[in-house]
Amino acid sequence: MTLGSSLAAGLGLEKLRGATLAEVDAAAALQYRVDRKYLVPLDGAGRLVAYLSDSHHVLDLGGRRTTSYLSTYFDTEQLGAWRAHAQGRRRRWKVRTRLYAEDGLCRVEVKTKDGRGATVKYALKIPAAEYGELTTQSMEFVDEVLDRAGIPVTAKELSAAAEVRYVRAALADLDHGSRVTLDGALICHRDDRTAALDPGHVLIETKGGTQPARADRLLLGMGVRPVSLSKYIVGQSLLTPGLPDNDVRRLARAHFTTEAHPAPLPERILAA
């Protein structure tokens, strides 16, 4: 059983109606949104999926209900993006290339957080062969977005800092424009070290407006509280020597394991 089919079975995704990518994008693209994150045991995540089965659809790509994600994050030599998040600054940013492995689709993405706490994401489609690097076109795109957001960083200051891999299921409320993503098999990789999320847990993200969505209210009723947890911030916090201790690292230590000399990571699965 693949990681994707294992996550789909554990979450009970067969209980949900399917939706195409076009339907999800039309109803819930949400490039400007408020994100809330939760670390939930797999059985609890399965209960949430069952509760949402009457209002949410699952993204279905030709019968496949999960997607393998690979994300390479870029940062300055002083880890400016990491420090902005770890220190809780109001204006934060991330730059990454993201590969949707089974589909062979790739984008360079820039995420910023405005003064009101909302996340704004901009994306540029690039060839899959450019995953993990910033070409001239990508650098121009990054510079434009960061400059417009008032972030005093340029693309030439950035280099690949860490890679994150996971399997994602995406749910959407097509009537109200909110989304829920559920990520499992999460691995952060830097140099010769990895940090892996406990396989018995799922990272859930709700993406909607300023008011909590139905999924947030259901999680609250299950006794689950939101956490401040970024995949990239967790990876750097656990895998980079000498970084100051922080709340993210203390939370991550309870749910992540690290290895100094891990086995080779799975090969990228590119669409034919």
Side-chain angles (χ1 to χ4, degrees), residues 131-178:
Y131 169 74
E133 62 179 292
L134 293 178
T135 63
T136 299
Q137 180 188 22
S138 296
M139 293 177 71
E140 291 174 352
F141 171 75
V142 169
D143 282 340
E144 178 185 349
V145 174
L146 292 180
D147 180 67
R148 191 164 60 240
I151 305 295
V153 175
T154 62
K156 68 180 181 181
E157 300 174 65
L158 305 178
S159 59
E163 184 180 59
V164 176
R165 300 184 180 195
Y166 53 95
V167 178
R168 167 169 289 184
L171 315 183
D173 183 336
L174 302 184
D175 294 325
H176 298 93
S178 61

Side-chain angles (χ1 to χ4, degrees), residues 39 82 186 188 195-198 201 227-239 245-258:
L39 273 175
W82 181 89
L186 172 59
C188 309
L197 176 64
D198 166 20
H201 279 75
V227 296
S228 178
L229 188 67
S230 157
K231 301 178 186 73
Y232 169 62
I233 305 307
V234 164
Q236 289 289 16
S237 297
L238 293 177
L239 301 176
D245 205 13
N246 56 78
D247 291 340
V248 170
R249 181 183 292 163
R250 287 187 284 272
L251 173 65
R253 282 173 176 161
H255 298 285
F256 285 75
T257 57
T258 60

Side-chain angles (χ1 to χ4, degrees), residues 93-160:
W93 57 277
K94 287 184 191 145
V95 174
R96 68 191 178 204
T97 54
R98 169 166 285 178
L99 178 66
Y100 302 82
E102 291 90 349
D103 306 300
L105 301 177
C106 192
R107 311 196 307 181
V108 56
E109 300 180 345
V110 183
K111 293 175 69 176
T112 63
K113 192 175 287 288
D114 67 14
R116 296 177 295 170
T119 299
V120 188
K121 183 171 72 173
Y122 302 89
L124 174 71
K125 187 176 180 180
I126 59 175
E130 295 178 9
Y131 169 74
E133 62 179 292
L134 293 178
T135 63
T136 299
Q137 180 188 22
S138 296
M139 293 177 71
E140 291 174 352
F141 171 75
V142 169
D143 282 340
E144 178 185 349
V145 174
L146 292 180
D147 180 67
R148 191 164 60 240
I151 305 295
V153 175
T154 62
K156 68 180 181 181
E157 300 174 65
L158 305 178
S159 59

